[in-house]
Amino acid sequence: MGLLLLLTSMLLSSDVWSLRGVDAQSLFAIRSISLSLEPGEDVTRDTNVTVRCTAVVSTSGLQPLSREYNISKDGTTIYSKTTSSEEDLLYPLPHVRVSHTGKYMCKISIEGKSQKSEVRRLRVTGLSPPVLQVEKTMLSEGEELKASCTAPGETGVIMFYFYEDGKEKQEERVKTDHVEVAFPLSGPGHHTIECSYRVLLTPDSILSEKSHSVRISVRELPFVPVLDIFPQYEVYEGDQLSISCGVQDTYHHFTSVSVYLSQGTNLLQHGQTKVNHTMKVLARDAAEFECRLAAGKVEKAVTKAVPVTELFSVPTLTMTPVEVFQKELMKLICKSDEVASKRLSSEDLTYSIDPHQMHLVEKDRGVFSGKALAVEFNYSCRARAKNIEKQSRILTVRPKVAVSVPKISVVDRAIIGKPFKIRCKSDNGSLPINYTLMFKYEVVAMVTVKVPSEEALFNVTVYKSEDINKFICEATNRRSGLGPLSGNLDATVIEPLSLPLLTVIPPPPEITEGSNLIFICSIRGTPPVTFKVYRSGYDLPLFTKTSAENNTSFEIHGLVKDHSGTYYFEALNHANNIVRSNSIKIEVRLAMWKKLVIGSFCLLALCVLVVVCVLCYKTQRGKKKGASELSVKPAYPKSDETLTMNLTHETPVYDTPTDAVPGYEGIEGRVTNGTRASVASLPPNTSYSVSAAV
Ligand SMILES: *[C@@H]1O[C@H](CO)[C@@H](O)[C@H](O)[C@H]1NC(C)=O
Ligand SMILES: *[C@@H]1O[C@H](CO)[C@@H](O)[C@H](O)[C@H]1NC(C)=O
Ligand SMILES: *[C@@H]1O[C@H](CO)[C@@H](O)[C@H](O)[C@H]1NC(C)=O
Ligand SMILES: *[C@@H]1O[C@H](CO)[C@@H](O)[C@H](O)[C@H]1NC(C)=O
């Protein structure tokens, strides 16, 4: 039993131990980590600086923890160490330099857990002075200077600079504190050489002071280029020039010197030691010559300019007259304005047209005349003397087309009193064309047509139809002088309608049934005229006709009573004004035979009446004394006069004539039952007598 207990307790306790062991490995906490720079953050060059990294870690375990330290500068790890020591991690930076300037940070990692310190900035000041060394202080021209520059003890990336006479000459980027270079100096004489350097940091850089300066002498090489030109003055174009280019005779030092002779960018000759060249010089060439010598890396040059006088200037080609018309005479004049009279007389100069033209003949020196072509042509000319030829610039001759006889016409219609347009147009002729409108040969207006789409239109108004023919126009496309004239304007002027007159035949009072009636419409104005005859009260015209004349007629056959009414007409022509005529009242009267029938009937009735009366009188003669008698007769009756009376009483009473209408005489009879009969429209001076007897 006791043994069992012991065994159990032993097992349990061994379990406990093993658990504890696990705890010892893993139970810890990183409480803090800090970084410090000793002796300080701002230090001078050569200070011994220590980077201290202090980590505070709480742990319950007995076994030490494995700590991994990591120190970085400007984001890049510069040192790392794994230790189980609890002591601070020290990272020495002995003899710090400017390149140590930067941001430092420490990081600790334990079993996957890590913590970073704050960033500390170390600032190191003071660069060591650069040291310049040269191989030689005496150089020959063309020889390179070998020099070195040292930044003692400096570290990091360094840019070295070399200066000649204060100007930067060469630069070199290295990761050491020392650089060697070789470069040529700018020329003979004394030169001051210096160097400096720049330590490149992130993100900026620091420049050192300049080194001490070294004086270098460059000895000039005793070879000199010699350029001889003959002749050098009063050189005219076409003259022969002899040119020599070479090393000065006193020079014997170098075995080989290359010689280059050039004019402008054109290399004329090259060779060794000396070259000769002969050439004919032309005025248009840039007469500047260069003689260049090259020996090793040394080059020397000399230039000379030779002023060349023109023998004669480039000719100019001109034309007279300034504008020329097809097939008309023109002159082309070719002339060199300046001639070097010392060398050349103007007789020595010859001129020609280029390309050669058959139609142009040289009439005088440089004057070519002939008829212009019909098409555009490019001419140029050449002047020639002493084997020198010069060509003028191109002269483009564009012969104009003469304007053709213009045509004058009316646009649309000419109406008296209204503005209208007159067009003047030439079918041919180069633009611009000036058109002038004249009235009775006096200028009215002028229009210039510049592009084909334009037209010469003139606004005018005429008040008399005969005036239209007095317009005439002129077209011209010449600078001066008259142009062709058009003919007189041949156009009809439309006279607006006026004075409409409607007449009828026979004249109104004499219109009887069955007869024919002729309407005559006449008007003043220009035909064609559209006539419309209306009867009042009707919308539609009775009669419409477009007449080629300014009058028309219209007939109604077999008039009936219904044709009575008021008639008028309206007329219209191209002037578009509607005019209305006078109105005529038509009253259709009874036909002759009807009148006769009625007349006879009346007469018969009268006879019957008379007979009856006579009979009555005779039968009553005994009873009553007194008798009546009636007779009516016109003093000068006319056959076609109308007299209508209805007599319905046995014993009518007649009055003497009353209400005489001026111009007419009328009679009126009053009948007892009130019926009234009138006689109107009787011819004047007709008298009637009425007598009554009882
Ligand atoms: C810096 O450390 C070096 C040894 O690494 C020592 O010789 C020198 O004296 C120290 N300089 C200063 C200023 O402490
Ligand atoms: C160049 O011309 C000179 C005379 O002007 C002559 O003495 C010399 O030999 C010539 N040189 C060459 C390379 O033709
Ligand atoms: C004339 O020369 C001009 C250019 O200078 C060219 O555009 C034109 O086409 C030439 N005309 C003729 C007819 O050759
Ligand atoms: C009618 O027209 C003619 C031309 O056809 C003209 O001569 C005449 O004057 C015109 N008559 C009137 C009254 O206008």
Side-chain angles (χ1 to χ4, degrees), residues 178-347:
H178 179 82
V179 73
E180 280 181 21
V181 293
F183 55 90
L185 296 185
S186 49
H190 300 291
H191 301 282
T192 306
I193 305 298
E194 291 163 305
C195 81
S196 72
Y197 65 91
R198 184 183 284 276
V199 178
L200 304 181
L201 302 173
T202 318
D204 42 23
S205 63
I206 296 171
L207 182 66
S208 76
E209 63 194 73
K210 275 189 180 167
S211 68
H212 64 284
S213 57
V214 177
R215 204 171 145 86
I216 309 281
S217 297
V218 179
R219 216 173 45 238
E220 190 175 1
L221 285 180
F223 72 102
V224 177
V226 177
L227 175 62
D228 284 323
I229 302 175
F230 179 81
Q232 204 170 349
Y233 303 103
E234 287 214 18
V235 178
Y236 287 87
E237 60 180 330
D239 286 358
Q240 193 85 11
L241 283 187
S242 297
I243 308 160
S244 75
C245 164
V247 191
Q248 210 175 26
D249 293 341
T250 53
Y251 176 78
H252 300 293
H253 186 71
F254 274 82
T255 46
S256 100
V257 176
S258 298
V259 179
Y260 301 89
L261 173 66
S262 49
Q263 180 189 20
T265 55
N266 186 19
L267 181 67
L268 300 174
Q269 292 280 335
H270 70 100
Q272 299 295 318
T273 314
K274 188 167 186 177
V275 291
N276 288 349
H277 184 72
T278 57
M279 64 181 291
K280 193 168 86 173
V281 75
L282 295 177
R284 65 164 181 273
D285 303 336
E288 190 176 84
F289 298 92
E290 187 199 68
C291 180
R292 179 171 288 270
L293 304 183
K297 287 189 173 175
V298 184
E299 285 196 6
K300 294 189 181 187
V302 62
T303 59
K304 263 185 193 170
V306 179
V308 181
T309 313
E310 274 191 324
L311 267 186
F312 55 94
S313 59
V314 173
T316 51
L317 184 63
T318 52
M319 175 177 73
T320 60
V322 188
E323 57 165 26
V324 68
F325 284 81
Q326 290 178 343
K327 312 280 184 210
E328 288 184 9
L329 203 65
M330 67 164 187
K331 270 187 198 166
L332 295 182
I333 299 164
C334 187
K335 192 169 190 319
S336 286
D337 289 326
E338 278 159 40
V339 176
S341 51
K342 274 191 182 173
R343 296 287 190 89
L344 193 71
S345 71
S346 29
E347 284 73 43

Side-chain angles (χ1 to χ4, degrees), residues 128-133 148-154 158 160 162 176-180 195-197 208 211:
S128 53
V131 180
L132 173 69
Q133 281 175 319
S148 72
C149 191
T150 309
E154 293 303 330
I158 300 176
F160 282 96
F162 292 86
T176 60
D177 67 350
H178 179 82
V179 73
E180 280 181 21
C195 81
S196 72
Y197 65 91
S208 76
S211 68

